Amino acid sequence: DVKVTQSSRYLVKRTGEKVFLECVQDMDHENMFWYRQDPGLGLRLIYFSYDVKMKEKGDIPEGYSVSREKKERFSLILESASTNQTSMYLCASSSSRPPRLANNEQFFGPGTRLTVL
Amino acid sequence: AQRVTQPEKLLSVFKGAPVELKCNYSYSGSPELFWYVQYSRQRLQLLLRHISRESIKGFTADLNKGETSFHLKKPFAQEEDSAMYYCAIFSYFNKFYFGSGTKLNVKP
């Protein structure tokens, strides 16, 4: 069974704290993604990675950084959490293998609801 | 730039009624479109992809390049269809751009 796991379902942090959100996939996928999900805004891509130690900015990278030291793990880091980063964070992974990239669906984790006070 | 628009935030229908969730896109190239669904307290999952031309749980979606649309349809809605639905377009590096989502509420 396909599995993407996220380290926490719920997290409460204070303004200014450094926050780590961890995501692990066991499908040997090359691509991993971090989104935030907000009502009325849908899913917005923060960062993604298509290989170990590779990272690319998404649409809203400001205030975030990522780390991918191992293929199965992709971490999202909030260097100094702010209240406007209160959101649901979703991790996803997908394969780059043939025959067709566009057929390779993204598999999502259960999400981490982060509240920054 | 690739964009996906879902004009309805909320769609309420009665059980047994037809349902159509709208999705319009902008894309310079040959688009690859998908519908994802998130049921209450479950993770987001793929519902269907246009290239497969499949029907999943009674839902179908046809890509209309002339109208740049990929509306999701079901002739007879069921209560278990109540969920959040996201239209998405595939981009390079296996990225997806998602719409803002439509919450479907099927009333008994």
Side-chain angles (χ1 to χ4, degrees), chain A residues 106-117:
Chain A
Q106 293 197 354
F107 293 89
F108 284 84
T112 296
R113 184 165 294 281
L114 172 67
T115 302
V116 182
L117 302 174

Side-chain angles (χ1 to χ4, degrees), chain B:
Chain B
Q2 301 92 330
R3 284 296 179 264
V4 175
T5 304
Q6 293 180 251
E8 303 138 328
K9 282 189 165 55
L10 173 66
L11 187 62
S12 284
V13 300
F14 284 102
K15 176 182 170 182
V19 63
E20 180 180 69
L21 288 83
K22 292 185 166 46
C23 172
N24 289 91
Y25 66 90
S26 61
Y27 187 73
S28 54
S30 209
E32 305 274 3
L33 284 140
F34 301 77
W35 278 97
Y36 278 77
V37 61
Q38 189 170 29
Y39 301 102
S40 179
R41 289 185 288 277
Q42 293 188 27
R43 59 185 70 193
L44 196 62
Q45 58 188 288
L46 177 69
L47 179 62
L48 56 80
R49 42 171 83 92
H50 95 268
I51 198 163
S52 302
R53 298 186 183 278
E54 55 201 346
S55 173
I56 303 290
K57 299 185 179 182
F59 284 98
T60 58
D62 290 320
L63 179 61
N64 186 324
K65 292 186 180 181
E67 295 182 359
T68 59
S69 68
F70 187 56
H71 303 328
L72 184 68
K73 299 175 185 178
K74 184 169 183 177
F76 307 103
Q78 303 299 313
E79 288 179 71
E80 56 265 29
D81 296 329
S82 294
M84 195 75 181
Y85 291 81
Y86 292 96
C87 183
I89 191 166
F90 173 81
S91 183
Y92 62 92
F93 287 124
N94 218 354
K95 283 199 309 182
F96 283 79
Y97 287 98
F98 286 84
S100 54
T102 298
K103 184 173 182 179
L104 175 63
N105 180 31
V106 181
K107 297 177 281 190

Side-chain angles (χ1 to χ4, degrees), chain A residues 23-39:
Chain A
C23 175
V24 177
Q25 51 94 5
D26 64 0
M27 297 162 283
D28 200 35
H29 283 170
E30 296 80 11
N31 310 304
M32 295 188 75
F33 308 82
W34 274 107
Y35 296 90
R36 59 179 286 176
Q37 182 182 31
D38 298 289

Side-chain angles (χ1 to χ4, degrees), chain A residues 1-75:
Chain A
D1 193 19
V2 159
K3 268 290 194 286
V4 179
T5 56
Q6 295 181 227
S7 50
S8 307
R9 291 302 300 271
Y10 300 94
L11 211 50
V12 180
K13 296 291 182 181
R14 296 205 175 276
T15 302
E17 279 193 80
K18 190 168 185 175
V19 182
F20 292 87
L21 302 183
E22 305 282 343
C23 175
V24 177
Q25 51 94 5
D26 64 0
M27 297 162 283
D28 200 35
H29 283 170
E30 296 80 11
N31 310 304
M32 295 188 75
F33 308 82
W34 274 107
Y35 296 90
R36 59 179 286 176
Q37 182 182 31
D38 298 289
L41 297 176
L43 274 72
R44 292 179 292 165
L45 182 64
I46 304 171
Y47 267 97
F48 67 103
S49 168
Y50 53 91
D51 201 352
V52 176
K53 296 194 187 296
M54 304 301 288
K55 59 185 178 185
E56 291 282 340
K57 291 180 181 178
D59 294 326
I60 51 163
E62 297 79 19
Y64 303 95
S65 62
V66 289
S67 172
R68 190 154 180 215
E69 296 296 318
K70 293 184 177 181
K71 191 175 185 181
E72 67 270 18
R73 187 179 297 269
F74 192 36
S75 303

